[in-house]
Amino acid sequence: MMRLIKLSVEEFESDLKLDEYFSKELPKRNPPGLFRFTEGRIAEGRIVPGETILFSYRNSLCFITTAKTGRMLNTYMPAIEYPYCVVIDLPPRKVNVPIEDLELMLQEKADFKSL
């Protein structure tokens, strides 16, 4: 299984801010790799430990990792705007693949259809 998470330019105003988030901020969290997300982003039971997580930013795949946990209530760093979280493996692999190229690769591997 695979999950694509689109990261917002409102949250990360530059590539530098995005890189700092993954290389400096996530490792310092308790637990390390704690990724918080908003309501409605990932439904309950829709992410499982060991699942591949693809992060995209500005129409490019930018980081690849795996989930250490499923979706959880965010009791570690509570915030109204981020009620849920997942812990990811660190460090994530940094890549730079246009989303269109990713779609083509997945279509070649399997009968993948973009929604």
Side-chain angles (χ1 to χ4, degrees):
M1 292 182 65
M2 228 181 296
R3 167 82 43 196
L4 176 65
I5 298 176
K6 296 177 184 177
L7 301 170
S8 164
V9 292
E10 288 83 30
E11 185 81 22
F12 303 102
E13 60 194 39
S14 69
D15 291 346
L16 179 61
K17 295 284 186 192
L18 181 69
D19 288 345
E20 287 175 350
Y21 175 77
F22 279 92
S23 66
K24 295 179 181 171
E25 187 174 333
L26 285 180
K28 291 180 184 175
R29 290 188 172 176
N30 186 19
L34 180 72
F35 177 80
R36 304 178 306 162
F37 52 91
T38 58
E39 181 82 38
R41 193 58 108 99
I42 300 171
E44 187 173 357
R46 292 295 193 184
I47 194 163
V48 296
E51 183 172 352
T52 299
I53 301 178
L54 309 173
F55 290 97
S56 71
Y57 178 70
R58 295 187 177 172
N59 296 316
S60 287
L61 177 63
C62 55
F63 289 98
I64 302 172
T65 190
T66 55
K68 291 177 89 171
T69 68
R71 183 185 96 160
M72 305 180 293
L73 287 175
N74 180 15
T75 58
Y76 298 99
M77 294 176 66
I80 292 171
E81 64 271 21
Y82 300 110
Y84 301 106
C85 63
V86 63
V87 178
I88 61 170
D89 280 323
L90 294 176
R93 185 167 40 134
K94 185 173 178 165
V95 296
N96 184 10
V97 179
I99 291 296
E100 298 82 22
D101 292 353
L102 174 64
E103 260 189 33
L104 288 173
M105 287 186 282
L106 291 173
Q107 286 172 356
E108 289 172 4
K109 283 194 107 158
D111 195 24
F112 173 82
K113 301 249 192 280
S114 178
L115 297 177

